[in-house]
Amino acid sequence: MAGDSAGFGISLVNPATGNATVYSGVTATLDVTLTNGTGGAITLVSGGTPSTLTIFMPTFYDATALQAMKIALDGWTCAYDASQTALVLTFGGADGTQWSTGTSKQFSIANAATSAAPDASQSVQINPAGMQGAVPDQVLAPLILASQPQPGNASLVGVLDVSLESLGVVYVSPSDSDPLPNTLFLNLKNMASQALYSGTAQWTGSPTVTVRFVYGTVAGALAPNEKPPPGDKPVIGSAWNIKGGIQTQPLGWTSGNPDPTSSAPEPVWTFAPASTNLSILGPVDGADANVTLKFENVVSITIPGHTQMIVDFKNFMKDETTPYNEQVYVLDVVKQSPPPTRGIVEFSGSTPVVTVTDPAQAQSIALKWTMFEVPAVNIITGFPGVPAVPVAYPKFSPLGYGWKTMRVPPVPQSMPVTFTAQALDGAGNYLNSQQFTVFFESQFFHDQRDGKNYPTLLLPAQNKIWLAANLDYALGDSLVYGTPEATYGRLYTYAAAQNAIPPGWRIPTADDWNELFGLFTYAQLIAGGSSGFNAQLGGWYTGSYGDFLVRGYYWSTSPGQASTFLCATFSSVSSSVSVETSLVPAFATCVRLVQDI
């Protein structure tokens, strides 16, 4: 993850985990990138006092572990320095070698191994020396030691999205006499089609989210963590002043703040689902999929640069018997100088793309903005039927935050809708404005024959669009099986299905079905699955109804045996999909359609 000091940046990644996390008992290779972003060249020398990079690893690597580590970098030599308990890279190239601005030095630290207990509170520190240019004394990047993933456990990777709103921007304060309090918003979103905890019994253990920052006074740190003397409050700019809480909690979460009078060496914030919160986070398509945590009174009196927030998830369960492995997320926090003028400094929304599956449904867009010395804001859009919304702040602070959910009438087709946040002074005079555009992507088919709307599934790599609901066009020889009809559609004989096809669509071939089955599993394709295909178990009709809620059958145009056609089958009994069943055309099944694009 990135750290930055006076334009000099560091990135540290374990390729095996994809972030700055290593596992206890597992030998790792750490990829390090140092970037000269100072705006000028850095001059390297080898004569006299040579240029060096002294690398201080976290203390969970002892001296023996450090001596086993290897670093190879062209033009540099690596040695272990026992006096500093550090690795030292020494430049051995030609005197006067230029390290141009905008370029990087990349190397890997091999054989990084430890069996120490998990530790999420340490960093790698690199001290450059003997270089001419705007080089900092040190740069920092966190390195987290976590427990090994256990076989059979579930993984939060790909399930839980963890992100900072507003790009994690913090405005640094000029001095402690002019503090600029920031608020950071951390969003946790379940990306799965089922709840984060899908068990029916109450989860066990103590699922906990802990949050910490990189501490210190350099640009690579957020703020110092020095404790105040007994009885005193933390000084302005201390990380102990940051207050954590819950911004939104549809299902119930609790928060805990660090106590500067405790024996804890550094502040750590804790968050946990309430005991009444069975799901923890709801499915991705529901209103309970997110929880937003907030960190108020963030005052950083440091140099602008990049620092990090470390978010650690422990003791979470997928169901009654399956734990999630511990997962650590390292998020970039960008420290910037405060804006030079008053106005909106950032304006964004909950999502830049909204999928529309029902042209009759209005859409809600959650907007958020950051402002500097602003007493009033107007939110406007040119979309018909959406009035401007004024928001006033009679007791505004230098750095403020605003929220508004805008209601957009039904969107008839794919189109962009732009929202504008206008900042006004106390007299109503214009200060500045920023815009945020939402693209409404229509994923539905409107059948002009009867006015019904069907959601669709776009597969751009396959150049196909599928109906994501069963055909429900009424013909005299079609049958209804199951209620509501809008969910299960109608059953058609093969001939009736041919007569029910709207222009531009067709019944899938066996190849179409097999292509779809190669992309998604039964669980992903069935109603409620993550693919959005929403296959229904609508059964069939053969003189009497059968298999309702047990299997779903869908016609294919491909012939099977003599006088039969193949049928795609979704079986709840075996949780499988296939295109093997041959049916005589007089049988009636559900129908899905496909369109080539």
Short mmCIF file of all heavy atoms in Angstrom, two decimals, residues 196-236:
data_model
loop_
_atom_site.label_atom_id
_atom_site.label_comp_id
_atom_site.label_asym_id
_atom_site.label_seq_id
_atom_site.Cartn_x
_atom_site.Cartn_y
_atom_site.Cartn_z
N LEU A 196 -24.17 -11.77 4.81
CA LEU A 196 -22.80 -12.09 5.21
C LEU A 196 -22.80 -13.29 6.16
O LEU A 196 -21.94 -14.16 6.08
CB LEU A 196 -22.14 -10.89 5.87
CG LEU A 196 -20.63 -10.98 6.08
CD1 LEU A 196 -19.90 -11.00 4.74
CD2 LEU A 196 -20.12 -9.82 6.93
N TYR A 197 -23.78 -13.33 7.07
CA TYR A 197 -24.01 -14.53 7.87
C TYR A 197 -25.33 -15.13 7.42
O TYR A 197 -26.39 -14.52 7.56
CB TYR A 197 -24.07 -14.19 9.36
CG TYR A 197 -24.37 -15.41 10.22
CD1 TYR A 197 -23.40 -16.36 10.46
CD2 TYR A 197 -25.63 -15.60 10.77
CE1 TYR A 197 -23.68 -17.49 11.23
CE2 TYR A 197 -25.92 -16.71 11.55
CZ TYR A 197 -24.93 -17.65 11.77
OH TYR A 197 -25.21 -18.76 12.53
N SER A 198 -25.25 -16.33 6.84
CA SER A 198 -26.43 -16.95 6.24
C SER A 198 -27.03 -18.05 7.09
O SER A 198 -27.95 -18.74 6.66
CB SER A 198 -26.09 -17.53 4.86
OG SER A 198 -25.02 -18.46 4.96
N GLY A 199 -26.53 -18.24 8.32
CA GLY A 199 -27.09 -19.25 9.21
C GLY A 199 -28.44 -18.82 9.75
O GLY A 199 -28.82 -17.65 9.71
N THR A 200 -29.18 -19.78 10.28
CA THR A 200 -30.50 -19.50 10.87
C THR A 200 -30.41 -19.33 12.38
O THR A 200 -31.25 -18.64 12.97
CB THR A 200 -31.49 -20.62 10.54
OG1 THR A 200 -30.94 -21.87 10.97
CG2 THR A 200 -31.74 -20.68 9.03
N ALA A 201 -29.42 -19.96 13.01
CA ALA A 201 -29.20 -19.78 14.44
C ALA A 201 -28.31 -18.57 14.68
O ALA A 201 -27.57 -18.13 13.79
CB ALA A 201 -28.58 -21.03 15.04
N GLN A 202 -28.34 -18.01 15.88
CA GLN A 202 -27.51 -16.87 16.22
C GLN A 202 -26.03 -17.21 16.05
O GLN A 202 -25.58 -18.28 16.46
CB GLN A 202 -27.77 -16.45 17.66
CG GLN A 202 -26.88 -15.34 18.18
CD GLN A 202 -27.10 -14.03 17.44
OE1 GLN A 202 -28.22 -13.72 17.06
NE2 GLN A 202 -26.04 -13.26 17.23
N TRP A 203 -25.28 -16.31 15.40
CA TRP A 203 -23.86 -16.55 15.23
C TRP A 203 -23.16 -16.60 16.59
O TRP A 203 -23.63 -16.03 17.57
CB TRP A 203 -23.20 -15.50 14.34
CG TRP A 203 -23.68 -14.08 14.51
CD1 TRP A 203 -24.58 -13.41 13.72
CD2 TRP A 203 -23.28 -13.13 15.52
NE1 TRP A 203 -24.77 -12.13 14.19
CE2 TRP A 203 -23.98 -11.93 15.29
CE3 TRP A 203 -22.41 -13.19 16.60
CZ2 TRP A 203 -23.84 -10.80 16.08
CZ3 TRP A 203 -22.25 -12.07 17.41
CH2 TRP A 203 -22.96 -10.89 17.13
N THR A 204 -22.05 -17.31 16.62
CA THR A 204 -21.29 -17.46 17.85
C THR A 204 -19.99 -16.68 17.75
O THR A 204 -19.60 -16.22 16.69
CB THR A 204 -20.99 -18.94 18.13
OG1 THR A 204 -20.26 -19.49 17.02
CG2 THR A 204 -22.27 -19.72 18.31
N GLY A 205 -19.29 -16.57 18.88
CA GLY A 205 -18.04 -15.85 18.89
C GLY A 205 -18.24 -14.35 18.99
O GLY A 205 -19.32 -13.86 19.31
N SER A 206 -17.20 -13.63 18.68
CA SER A 206 -17.23 -12.16 18.79
C SER A 206 -16.70 -11.54 17.51
O SER A 206 -15.53 -11.13 17.44
CB SER A 206 -16.39 -11.70 19.99
OG SER A 206 -16.86 -12.26 21.20
N PRO A 207 -17.54 -11.47 16.46
CA PRO A 207 -17.07 -10.83 15.22
C PRO A 207 -16.73 -9.37 15.47
O PRO A 207 -17.56 -8.62 16.00
CB PRO A 207 -18.26 -11.00 14.27
CG PRO A 207 -19.45 -11.20 15.16
CD PRO A 207 -18.95 -11.90 16.38
N THR A 208 -15.53 -8.99 15.11
CA THR A 208 -15.04 -7.65 15.44
C THR A 208 -14.26 -7.06 14.28
O THR A 208 -13.48 -7.75 13.63
CB THR A 208 -14.14 -7.69 16.69
OG1 THR A 208 -14.84 -8.31 17.77
CG2 THR A 208 -13.72 -6.29 17.11
N VAL A 209 -14.48 -5.77 14.04
CA VAL A 209 -13.69 -5.00 13.09
C VAL A 209 -12.85 -4.02 13.90
O VAL A 209 -13.39 -3.24 14.69
CB VAL A 209 -14.58 -4.22 12.10
CG1 VAL A 209 -13.73 -3.44 11.11
CG2 VAL A 209 -15.54 -5.14 11.38
N THR A 210 -11.53 -4.08 13.74
CA THR A 210 -10.66 -3.12 14.40
C THR A 210 -10.01 -2.23 13.35
O THR A 210 -9.69 -2.68 12.25
CB THR A 210 -9.57 -3.81 15.24
OG1 THR A 210 -8.79 -4.66 14.38
CG2 THR A 210 -10.18 -4.65 16.34
N VAL A 211 -9.84 -0.98 13.71
CA VAL A 211 -9.29 0.01 12.78
C VAL A 211 -8.16 0.76 13.48
O VAL A 211 -8.28 1.17 14.64
CB VAL A 211 -10.37 1.01 12.33
CG1 VAL A 211 -9.77 2.09 11.43
CG2 VAL A 211 -11.50 0.28 11.61
N ARG A 212 -7.06 0.92 12.80
CA ARG A 212 -5.95 1.72 13.28
C ARG A 212 -5.35 2.47 12.11
O ARG A 212 -5.66 2.20 10.95
CB ARG A 212 -4.88 0.87 13.96
CG ARG A 212 -4.26 -0.18 13.07
CD ARG A 212 -3.10 -0.89 13.75
NE ARG A 212 -1.99 0.00 14.01
CZ ARG A 212 -1.04 0.27 13.12
NH1 ARG A 212 -1.07 -0.28 11.91
NH2 ARG A 212 -0.06 1.08 13.42
N PHE A 213 -4.46 3.42 12.41
CA PHE A 213 -3.79 4.22 11.39
C PHE A 213 -2.28 4.08 11.55
O PHE A 213 -1.79 3.44 12.48
CB PHE A 213 -4.19 5.69 11.50
CG PHE A 213 -5.67 5.94 11.29
CD1 PHE A 213 -6.55 5.94 12.37
CD2 PHE A 213 -6.18 6.17 10.03
CE1 PHE A 213 -7.90 6.17 12.19
CE2 PHE A 213 -7.53 6.40 9.83
CZ PHE A 213 -8.39 6.40 10.91
N VAL A 214 -1.54 4.68 10.64
CA VAL A 214 -0.09 4.79 10.78
C VAL A 214 0.18 6.07 11.58
O VAL A 214 -0.28 7.15 11.21
CB VAL A 214 0.61 4.86 9.41
CG1 VAL A 214 2.11 5.03 9.58
CG2 VAL A 214 0.32 3.58 8.62
N TYR A 215 0.92 5.94 12.68
CA TYR A 215 1.09 7.05 13.62
C TYR A 215 2.49 7.64 13.53
O TYR A 215 3.47 6.93 13.28
CB TYR A 215 0.81 6.56 15.04
CG TYR A 215 -0.57 5.96 15.19
CD1 TYR A 215 -0.72 4.60 15.45
CD2 TYR A 215 -1.70 6.74 15.04
CE1 TYR A 215 -1.98 4.03 15.57
CE2 TYR A 215 -2.97 6.19 15.16
CZ TYR A 215 -3.11 4.83 15.42
OH TYR A 215 -4.36 4.28 15.52
N GLY A 216 2.58 8.94 13.74
CA GLY A 216 3.86 9.63 13.71
C GLY A 216 3.67 11.06 13.24
O GLY A 216 2.53 11.53 13.02
N THR A 217 4.78 11.76 13.02
CA THR A 217 4.73 13.17 12.61
C THR A 217 5.20 13.37 11.17
O THR A 217 5.18 14.49 10.68
CB THR A 217 5.61 14.02 13.55
OG1 THR A 217 6.95 13.51 13.53
CG2 THR A 217 5.07 13.98 14.97
N VAL A 218 5.63 12.29 10.52
CA VAL A 218 6.10 12.42 9.14
C VAL A 218 4.92 12.37 8.18
O VAL A 218 3.79 12.07 8.56
CB VAL A 218 7.11 11.31 8.81
CG1 VAL A 218 8.33 11.41 9.71
CG2 VAL A 218 6.47 9.93 8.93
N ALA A 219 5.19 12.63 6.89
CA ALA A 219 4.12 12.66 5.91
C ALA A 219 3.46 11.30 5.73
O ALA A 219 2.29 11.22 5.36
CB ALA A 219 4.64 13.16 4.57
N GLY A 220 4.20 10.21 5.96
CA GLY A 220 3.64 8.88 5.80
C GLY A 220 2.75 8.45 6.94
O GLY A 220 2.25 7.32 6.95
N ALA A 221 2.54 9.31 7.94
CA ALA A 221 1.69 9.00 9.09
C ALA A 221 0.52 9.97 9.13
O ALA A 221 0.59 11.09 8.62
CB ALA A 221 2.49 9.08 10.39
N LEU A 222 -0.57 9.53 9.77
CA LEU A 222 -1.74 10.40 9.89
C LEU A 222 -1.56 11.43 10.99
O LEU A 222 -1.79 12.62 10.79
CB LEU A 222 -2.98 9.56 10.17
CG LEU A 222 -4.28 10.36 10.33
CD1 LEU A 222 -4.72 10.94 8.99
CD2 LEU A 222 -5.38 9.49 10.93
N ALA A 223 -1.15 10.97 12.17
CA ALA A 223 -1.02 11.84 13.34
C ALA A 223 -0.21 11.11 14.39
O ALA A 223 -0.12 9.88 14.38
CB ALA A 223 -2.40 12.20 13.89
N PRO A 224 0.39 11.84 15.35
CA PRO A 224 1.13 11.17 16.42
C PRO A 224 0.18 10.49 17.40
O PRO A 224 -1.00 10.83 17.49
CB PRO A 224 1.89 12.32 17.08
CG PRO A 224 1.06 13.53 16.79
CD PRO A 224 0.47 13.31 15.43
N ASN A 225 0.71 9.52 18.15
CA ASN A 225 -0.12 8.81 19.13
C ASN A 225 0.43 8.94 20.54
O ASN A 225 0.18 8.07 21.38
CB ASN A 225 -0.25 7.33 18.74
CG ASN A 225 1.06 6.58 18.83
OD1 ASN A 225 2.12 7.18 18.85
ND2 ASN A 225 0.98 5.27 18.88
N GLU A 226 1.18 10.02 20.79
CA GLU A 226 1.70 10.22 22.14
C GLU A 226 0.54 10.43 23.11
O GLU A 226 -0.40 11.18 22.83
CB GLU A 226 2.63 11.43 22.20
CG GLU A 226 3.97 11.22 21.55
CD GLU A 226 3.94 11.46 20.06
OE1 GLU A 226 2.85 11.83 19.55
OE2 GLU A 226 4.97 11.28 19.39
N LYS A 227 0.65 9.78 24.26
CA LYS A 227 -0.39 9.92 25.27
C LYS A 227 -0.17 11.20 26.09
O LYS A 227 0.98 11.63 26.30
CB LYS A 227 -0.38 8.70 26.20
CG LYS A 227 -0.94 7.45 25.57
CD LYS A 227 -1.07 6.36 26.62
CE LYS A 227 -1.77 5.15 26.06
NZ LYS A 227 -1.96 4.10 27.09
N PRO A 228 -1.26 11.78 26.58
CA PRO A 228 -1.11 12.97 27.43
C PRO A 228 -0.70 12.57 28.85
O PRO A 228 -0.87 11.42 29.26
CB PRO A 228 -2.53 13.57 27.42
CG PRO A 228 -3.42 12.36 27.27
CD PRO A 228 -2.66 11.43 26.36
N PRO A 229 -0.17 13.50 29.62
CA PRO A 229 0.11 13.20 31.04
C PRO A 229 -1.20 12.85 31.75
O PRO A 229 -2.28 13.25 31.32
CB PRO A 229 0.71 14.51 31.56
CG PRO A 229 1.20 15.22 30.34
CD PRO A 229 0.28 14.84 29.24
N PRO A 230 -1.13 12.10 32.84
CA PRO A 230 -2.35 11.73 33.58
C PRO A 230 -3.18 12.95 33.95
O PRO A 230 -2.67 13.95 34.45
CB PRO A 230 -1.80 11.03 34.83
CG PRO A 230 -0.47 10.50 34.41
CD PRO A 230 0.07 11.51 33.45
N GLY A 231 -4.45 12.87 33.66
CA GLY A 231 -5.37 13.95 33.96
C GLY A 231 -5.52 14.97 32.85
O GLY A 231 -6.44 15.80 32.89
N ASP A 232 -4.62 14.95 31.87
CA ASP A 232 -4.70 15.91 30.76
C ASP A 232 -5.41 15.29 29.57
O ASP A 232 -5.46 14.07 29.41
CB ASP A 232 -3.31 16.36 30.34
CG ASP A 232 -2.65 17.24 31.38
OD1 ASP A 232 -3.34 17.65 32.34
OD2 ASP A 232 -1.44 17.50 31.24
N LYS A 233 -5.92 16.16 28.71
CA LYS A 233 -6.49 15.70 27.45
C LYS A 233 -5.40 15.58 26.40
O LYS A 233 -4.36 16.26 26.48
CB LYS A 233 -7.56 16.69 26.97
CG LYS A 233 -8.78 16.78 27.87
CD LYS A 233 -9.80 17.75 27.29
CE LYS A 233 -11.04 17.81 28.16
NZ LYS A 233 -12.05 18.77 27.62
N PRO A 234 -5.60 14.72 25.40
CA PRO A 234 -4.62 14.64 24.31
C PRO A 234 -4.45 16.00 23.63
O PRO A 234 -5.41 16.77 23.50
CB PRO A 234 -5.23 13.61 23.36
CG PRO A 234 -6.16 12.81 24.21
CD PRO A 234 -6.70 13.76 25.24
N VAL A 235 -3.24 16.30 23.20
CA VAL A 235 -2.99 17.57 22.53
C VAL A 235 -3.71 17.60 21.19
O VAL A 235 -4.04 16.56 20.61
CB VAL A 235 -1.48 17.78 22.32
CG1 VAL A 235 -0.76 17.84 23.65
CG2 VAL A 235 -0.91 16.67 21.44
N ILE A 236 -3.95 18.80 20.69
CA ILE A 236 -4.58 18.95 19.38
C ILE A 236 -3.69 18.29 18.32
O ILE A 236 -2.47 18.50 18.30
CB ILE A 236 -4.80 20.44 19.05
CG1 ILE A 236 -5.82 21.04 20.02
CG2 ILE A 236 -5.27 20.61 17.60
CD1 ILE A 236 -6.00 22.53 19.85
#
